[in-house]
Amino acid sequence: MRVDSTRSVEDDLTQPVAEGGLLHRRLFLKAGGAGIVGAAPLVPSATYARSIGEDAPGWMRTPGLPLRAYGSPSPYEKDVVRAVLQPYGEMAPGTGVTVTPLQHMRGSVTPNGLHFERSHNGIPEIDPARHEFMVHGMVKQPLVFTVESLLRYPMESQLRFIECSGNSFFISNLFPEAKEVPVGHIHGLVSCAEWTGVPLGVLLDEAGLEPGASWLLAEGADAAAMSRSIPLEKALDDTLVALYQNGERIRPEQGYPMRLVVPGFEGNMNVKWLRRIKVTDHPTHTKDETSKYTELMPDGMSRQFTYIMDVKSTITHPAGGLTMQGPGLYEVSGLAWSGHGAVDKVEVSADGGRTWADAQLGEPVHARSLTRFRVPWRWEGAPAVLQSRAYDDQGNVQPSRAHWSKQYAAGQLYHCNAIQSWQVAADGSIVNVYA
Ligand SMILES: Nc1nc2c(c(=O)[nH]1)N[C@H]1C(S)=C(S)[C@@H](COP(=O)(O)O)O[C@H]1N2
Ligand SMILES: [Mo]
């Protein structure tokens, strides 16, 4: 059942639009000055003003710290960090992931120090003066680019998410029982940055494609020499050789001095520390696209070259890793994205998917980028199950976990875009459940 939430602003926006206390997405937007919410503060912790100045804190009485050449977060935010997950521990400390702490983030762009990381054999310490990037294979003229030469090319910026295809494996059918982990552990292998660099098509053009060219092999300069095959069509469409991440040079863990950004395609294809592109007329079937990054189907066949990350969303607040602070008004907020295009609509449920309210999307909505969604929620303190469901402008809808699981063999973990359920208990605790 979907509940109509398109009523006009003249209607009483404080009336629920779905079960469990979900309110009209425009409540907060229209609240200013209209007295819609009431004269009391929205949340109990916002107290009435006293006069300020009487007990001026120490930092108003003495000069502040000296100016700094490079900024870092407040020391009071020291716990907002990536969780480091190393499956082989100290045997292979460079292998594994770090996850973005989604439960502590509110916008849609990921700060560089919190961008998730997936590395197969550590972060190479590349001296940009000695790094070379080669374009060869089925080209008229093989070319080698230095970092310095690439920096002189015309550049383009794209706000794009990168998502590991192993993201959300905690709710995949690898785990028959739901794990109690924070939202960052479940979905934090997705991040969003403004990537700036040289369109790969410009460099391929310069090298001159030979007739019959249809694929690329992209290889990294790390000790895993990670490599993937990429269809030429995508390379010529919107693929970037990125040198900048949110305005500064790419971080070492993101591929310094250069990486591929292949918008909407699985994270693995966004080859970091890019050292060569070989133009071919066939996929190369590298170890990274045969032994891994394939999906096992129910009939025992494996599906290869599943590039596009499907439409998906998760509530990041309230969510696992946080607790409710008593009954009252909350903003349910989360992230939605699709590798197929732009997010079109996000719905939120507080009753485990029986009734849905439309969420407000953070605008402008960029294609293949993280989109923030928000909806007000009056929580009366009763148990609730929160879910979000995303739609994209290419007609795709995020599936239920049961529906997603059925598509694959047991133990399948890649490309999990199932709807996530957060169970909110009367005591305010929030845990991941399979609803
Ligand atoms: N050279 C190289 N490129 C790589 C990897 C790697 O280990 N080596 N990991 C891949 C995987 S699996 C993912 S999900 C993304 C992660 O990008 P990030 O670490 O910048 O978030 O990089 C991809 N590119
Ligand atoms: Mo990945």
Side-chain angles (χ1 to χ4, degrees), residues 97-100 116-117 162-164 166-167 169 184 187-191:
V97 297
T98 65
V99 301
T100 297
F116 91 87
E117 180 196 356
I162 292 179
E163 182 183 22
C164 180
N167 196 24
F169 72 89
H187 298 296
L189 292 180
V190 68
S191 297

Side-chain angles (χ1 to χ4, degrees), residues 177-392:
E177 307 218 326
K179 295 265 179 204
E180 271 190 39
V181 280
V183 59
H185 281 57
I186 299 179
H187 298 296
L189 292 180
V190 68
S191 297
C192 184
E194 187 206 57
W195 301 99
T196 298
V198 185
L200 179 56
V202 169
L203 304 178
L204 291 173
D205 235 30
E206 266 196 344
L209 293 168
E210 293 208 320
S214 53
W215 285 82
L216 307 179
L217 169 72
E219 184 184 74
D222 52 337
M226 228 219 57
S227 52
R228 287 294 304 257
S229 302
I230 297 168
L232 180 64
E233 201 184 350
K234 180 67 173 174
L236 297 177
D237 180 15
D238 57 357
T239 300
L240 274 188
V241 177
L243 295 132
Y244 290 82
Q245 172 183 1
N246 290 328
E248 66 180 358
R249 294 290 291 280
I250 286 180
R251 291 284 167 101
E253 54 268 51
Q254 261 70 60
Y256 184 86
M258 61 184 72
R259 81 173 305 162
L260 277 188
V261 172
V262 192
F265 278 29
E266 64 182 6
N268 191 258
M269 302 176 73
N270 295 249
V271 173
K272 304 192 277 190
W273 312 295
L274 183 67
R275 73 182 282 265
R276 76 182 168 112
I277 296 263
K278 183 181 178 188
V279 181
T280 59
D281 58 4
H282 57 274
T284 302
H285 298 289
T286 71
K287 68 181 189 312
D288 301 292
E289 58 200 14
T290 50
S291 72
K292 284 174 288 186
Y293 302 106
T294 63
E295 286 79 63
L296 190 59
M297 307 308 284
D299 63 1
M301 297 282 277
S302 274
R303 205 179 261 175
Q304 199 184 10
F305 301 131
T306 42
Y307 313 119
I308 300 182
M309 299 309 294
D310 279 317
V311 65
K312 184 161 162 182
S313 68
T314 182
I315 294 168
T316 58
H317 188 105
L322 303 169
T323 43
M324 305 292 289
Q325 273 119 47
L329 205 53
Y330 285 83
E331 184 170 74
V332 177
S333 164
L335 294 166
W337 62 99
S338 172
H340 296 279
V343 171
D344 204 29
K345 182 170 69 167
V346 179
E347 297 168 324
V348 171
S349 175
D351 58 5
R354 275 196 322 112
T355 62
W356 299 89
D358 281 355
Q360 184 71 28
L361 301 185
E363 290 178 354
V365 174
H366 296 272
R368 300 176 185 87
S369 178
L370 293 188
T371 296
R372 179 59 67 172
F373 65 86
R374 303 178 168 101
V375 69
W377 181 38
R378 194 183 303 283
W379 184 55
E380 305 288 4
V385 174
L386 292 174
Q387 297 184 341
S388 64
R389 174 164 70 190
Y391 299 71
D392 70 23

